[in-house]
Amino acid sequence: MAQGFSGKILHVNLTNRKINIETPPENFYRKYFGGSAMGMYYILKELSPGVDPFSPQNVLTFMLSPLTGVAIAGQSRMTVNAKSPLVDGIGDAQAGGFFPAEMKFTGFDGIVIRGKAAQPVYLLIRDGEVEIRDASHLWGKTTGDVEILLKEELQDPKIEIAQCGPSGEKLVRLAAIMNMANRANGRTGMGAVMGSKNLKAIVVRGSSRKVQVAHPEAVADFGKQSSAAIKDHGSSQGLKRDGTAGGVSWQNTTGTLPTRNYNEGQFEGADSLAGDVMTETILKGNDTCFACAIRCKRVVEAEWMDQAIEGRYGGPEYESVATLGSYCGVGDLKAVAYANQLCNEYGLDTIGTGATVAWAMECFEQGLLTEEEVGFPLNFGDAKAMVRATEMLAKREGFGDILAEGSRKAADKLGKGHKFLITVKGSELPAHMPRVKPSLGLIYAVGPFGADHQSSEHDAGIEEGTSPKALQSLRAIGVDEAAPENSMGVEKIKIVHKTHQYYSFLDSANLCQFVFGLTWVVHGPQDIITLTRAVTGWNDFNAKELLLIGERRLNMMRVFNMREGLDSSDDTLPEKLFIPLQGNGPSANTAYSRDVLDFAKEKYYHLSGWDPKNGEPTKETLVRLGLNWKQ
Ligand code: SF4
């Protein structure tokens, strides 16, 4: 067995309380590597088509990689997959923190959950020992309270907890799985799947504190060089100083800060939401993920409307600032931080939540929703209304019961508001606008689990590929030239297609994109290859194999979705994106072109080896990827 892996996958059936430990062969690990590629293997093999995401038959996977837990920056991440209750196709969500490394220290590379417990339970995993315990006393409790209660109950302050939160219990389709009460496997409703299984939490504690690696000296050298490089790296230091919210000003200046439900790309209140303002006003400290010297996570403390904003719930990322802020027309940073806290307390995806509230705001302003239906005026820019709607959504209270379905299913239930939706495959768009970042239009459209901003290199990064370091990274994945930021020609599509595979590998290796992305970060593909060889001992691991793993993951998701009835017609963008933007700034009056999307999709399918008409992976493609077992 290669090093890096524990060599064990934990299988838990909550219906009959059976616990099995699988020891897959090395070639399984080499083929699927980890993360969602590994999760997809179990989901695709076991899940029958058409299963209700909330039924006990749904399979919920938590997967690590050989690199998880190795003491270097950017490796402590975990991917969760299941059939999504939000998109009715595959669900996929990543999170960092300390839970992933701690889970690795228990001796497992992954957990596969099946069935449904008769009563609320939690899973306790300590050094390879596994117990299913009663969680009735935790049901209904917020994430922060569960952290306290379980640490007291187990008399161990060092346990790590991944939990579904009260929103997951109530099957809110935007529910996240939270660890540390402030790190979210946020997207596609994975918290609701966990809640549907009556699984309140997974608790992990491992005493080994070490991952066995093939070449310890090489790994130690890599760690030392990485720490030194981070100290001198401008973008990493910028992340440390202002967090991801440091991007607010750039996004606003370039007209890609979604404002008032994607009606505008520049927000007049952006200055008060900026990362440096957060740093100077409410930031109390930095937090990090296991062994990461960048420490980009925010810890904010303040008061909003006599409500405490507590450091234990972290602080808002760029996406949360934009979706709960400018997306809703709200420029009150403390209100945004408080809404972010509510999301972390109840276990919600901030992107889906902010965007769903913004959609409801537009419906209200356009007269499709009345005060009687909502319970209060829900106008853009009303911070109190944004917070109130967020809380009601989290608790499924009143009109929040409709919002808890996510915007697309809410529109379906209400029978109105479809023209204001900002969703792909039912998942709300993140805060990066395809009008300014045109390649994201393609990636949002073809993304297997809906619009995702972390699935490819953004256009500005690709253009930046003219810098020596970035070009070196692009060349390592087979891209010889950078491409202008605003182009969508064949060359750009080829680049984006490759970066989609690269980022898909990152979500299989569970590596942080702020450390191991492509163009503006401290490490790149060559470093991953060096590290993978040093950790696993696979001394011939190379870029081709890396990209193949990413491509395999995307194809497994595609196959899953097609089996669930999704097809090429689902690879599209919200109608609003084809309408000229309002407002000011460089993106005003611009629209995304349907012709560009159609052209890009056709090229993307061709490059992927998919049927040009319906986008189905061809038999040859599946054979090439070693996925013919699914037939
Ligand atoms: S860069 Fe930030 S998110 Fe990424 S591993 Fe480091 S602390 Fe975590």
Side-chain angles (χ1 to χ4, degrees), residues 346-484:
Y346 285 86
L348 282 178
D349 170 33
T350 54
I351 297 176
T353 300
T356 296
V357 171
W359 164 80
M361 284 175 159
E362 182 154 26
C363 289
F364 184 85
E365 294 220 336
Q366 296 294 329
L368 293 185
L369 287 173
T370 64
E371 197 172 327
E372 206 182 2
E373 283 174 283
V374 177
F376 51 94
L378 189 58
N379 293 105
F380 284 130
D382 185 338
K384 279 195 215 164
M386 180 275 290
V387 169
R388 198 168 164 194
T390 299
E391 189 160 3
M392 288 167 71
L393 185 160
K395 297 176 178 172
R396 276 195 181 271
E397 270 179 16
F399 186 66
D401 192 34
I402 295 281
L403 297 179
E405 295 294 290
S407 52
R408 185 186 68 174
K409 286 187 192 295
D412 289 346
K413 277 203 163 176
L414 291 166
K416 56 190 174 185
H418 292 89
K419 69 177 180 176
F420 301 133
L421 287 175
I422 302 292
T423 56
V424 173
K425 300 183 178 80
S427 181
E428 288 76 16
L429 262 63
H432 302 264
M433 302 181 78
R435 287 153 167 126
V436 178
K437 301 181 175 186
S439 73
L440 287 189
L442 169 65
I443 297 301
Y444 284 178
V446 300
F449 41 90
D452 181 49
H453 59 296
Q454 294 191 293
S455 285
S456 62
E457 189 69 20
H458 292 199
D459 300 74
I462 292 170
E463 183 174 270
E464 195 203 321
T466 46
S467 80
K469 158 80 176 71
L471 197 52
Q472 195 185 24
S473 286
L474 288 170
R475 282 194 175 134
I477 61 162
V479 174
D480 290 332
E481 297 291 336

Side-chain angles (χ1 to χ4, degrees), residues 7-66:
K8 290 183 195 157
I9 306 283
L10 174 64
H11 294 264
V12 179
N13 187 320
L14 293 170
T15 305
N16 60 20
R17 298 175 75 94
K18 273 200 173 155
I19 294 168
N20 294 317
I21 295 171
E22 181 196 3
T23 52
E26 180 167 348
N27 62 3
F28 167 82
Y29 284 108
R30 185 130 191 192
K31 184 170 177 180
Y32 300 103
F33 207 88
S36 39
M38 212 146 82
M40 282 311 298
Y41 170 82
Y42 294 100
I43 290 168
L44 203 49
K45 277 231 156 174
E46 294 182 27
L47 206 53
S48 306
V51 161
D52 181 334
F54 291 145
S55 91
Q57 278 92 52
N58 202 356
V59 176
L60 179 67
T61 61
F62 298 76
M63 293 291 169
L64 309 174
S65 93

Side-chain angles (χ1 to χ4, degrees), residues 73-75 77 183 239 287-289 292 294-297 512 514-515:
Q75 50 50 53
R77 293 182 69 77
R183 310 301 165 87
L239 274 174
D287 201 354
T288 190
C289 306
C292 185
I294 295 182
R295 301 184 63 83
C296 76
K297 311 309 286 186
C512 177
F514 303 147
V515 183

Side-chain angles (χ1 to χ4, degrees), residues 294-590:
I294 295 182
R295 301 184 63 83
C296 76
K297 311 309 286 186
R298 309 288 85 184
V299 178
V300 302
E301 285 177 11
E303 247 187 37
W304 181 77
M305 305 289 296
D306 295 329
Q307 301 287 336
I309 300 168
E310 302 173 52
R312 63 181 169 150
Y313 293 110
E317 299 280 348
Y318 164 74
E319 294 297 327
S320 317
V321 166
T323 47
L324 298 163
S326 61
Y327 225 120
C328 292
V330 170
D332 179 340
L333 180 61
K334 288 183 184 171
V336 167
Y338 184 65
N340 178 71
Q341 170 167 305
L342 285 172
C343 290
N344 289 350
E345 246 182 313
Y346 285 86
L348 282 178
D349 170 33
T350 54
I351 297 176
T353 300
T356 296
V357 171
W359 164 80
M361 284 175 159
E362 182 154 26
C363 289
F364 184 85
E365 294 220 336
Q366 296 294 329
L368 293 185
L369 287 173
T370 64
E371 197 172 327
E372 206 182 2
E373 283 174 283
V374 177
F376 51 94
L378 189 58
N379 293 105
F380 284 130
D382 185 338
K384 279 195 215 164
M386 180 275 290
V387 169
R388 198 168 164 194
T390 299
E391 189 160 3
M392 288 167 71
L393 185 160
K395 297 176 178 172
R396 276 195 181 271
E397 270 179 16
F399 186 66
D401 192 34
I402 295 281
L403 297 179
E405 295 294 290
S407 52
R408 185 186 68 174
K409 286 187 192 295
D412 289 346
K413 277 203 163 176
L414 291 166
K416 56 190 174 185
H418 292 89
K419 69 177 180 176
F420 301 133
L421 287 175
I422 302 292
T423 56
V424 173
K425 300 183 178 80
S427 181
E428 288 76 16
L429 262 63
H432 302 264
M433 302 181 78
R435 287 153 167 126
V436 178
K437 301 181 175 186
S439 73
L440 287 189
L442 169 65
I443 297 301
Y444 284 178
V446 300
F449 41 90
D452 181 49
H453 59 296
Q454 294 191 293
S455 285
S456 62
E457 189 69 20
H458 292 199
D459 300 74
I462 292 170
E463 183 174 270
E464 195 203 321
T466 46
S467 80
K469 158 80 176 71
L471 197 52
Q472 195 185 24
S473 286
L474 288 170
R475 282 194 175 134
I477 61 162
V479 174
D480 290 332
E481 297 291 336
E485 196 173 340
N486 58 4
S487 75
M488 267 311 264
V490 178
E491 288 311 311
K492 180 72 161 285
I493 294 163
K494 280 186 190 165
I495 297 172
V496 175
H497 183 256
K498 274 270 186 280
T499 75
H500 202 190
Q501 292 177 352
Y502 178 73
Y503 278 80
S504 179
F505 171 80
L506 292 187
D507 290 340
S508 306
N510 290 321
L511 290 173
C512 177
Q513 308 187 350
F514 303 147
V515 183
F516 289 100
L518 269 176
T519 59
W520 56 270
V521 297
V522 70
H523 293 305
Q526 287 140 314
D527 299 312
I528 294 177
I529 292 164
T530 303
L531 189 61
T532 301
R533 289 176 178 179
V535 169
T536 61
W538 294 333
N539 296 329
D540 55 348
F541 185 81
N542 58 28
K544 194 173 164 206
E545 188 172 352
L546 179 157
L547 291 172
L548 205 63
I549 291 163
E551 187 183 6
R552 190 174 289 124
R553 166 184 175 267
L554 289 170
N555 276 270
M556 290 166 92
M557 290 178 163
R558 187 83 187 175
V559 167
F560 180 88
N561 280 354
M562 300 214 76
R563 219 171 59 173
E564 296 297 326
L566 276 73
D567 61 25
S568 167
S569 64
D570 296 290
D571 293 341
T572 190
L573 293 171
E575 282 303 305
K576 276 182 77 171
L577 266 66
F578 301 116
I579 298 168
L581 274 176
Q582 303 162 22
N584 301 309
S587 58
N589 301 313
T590 62

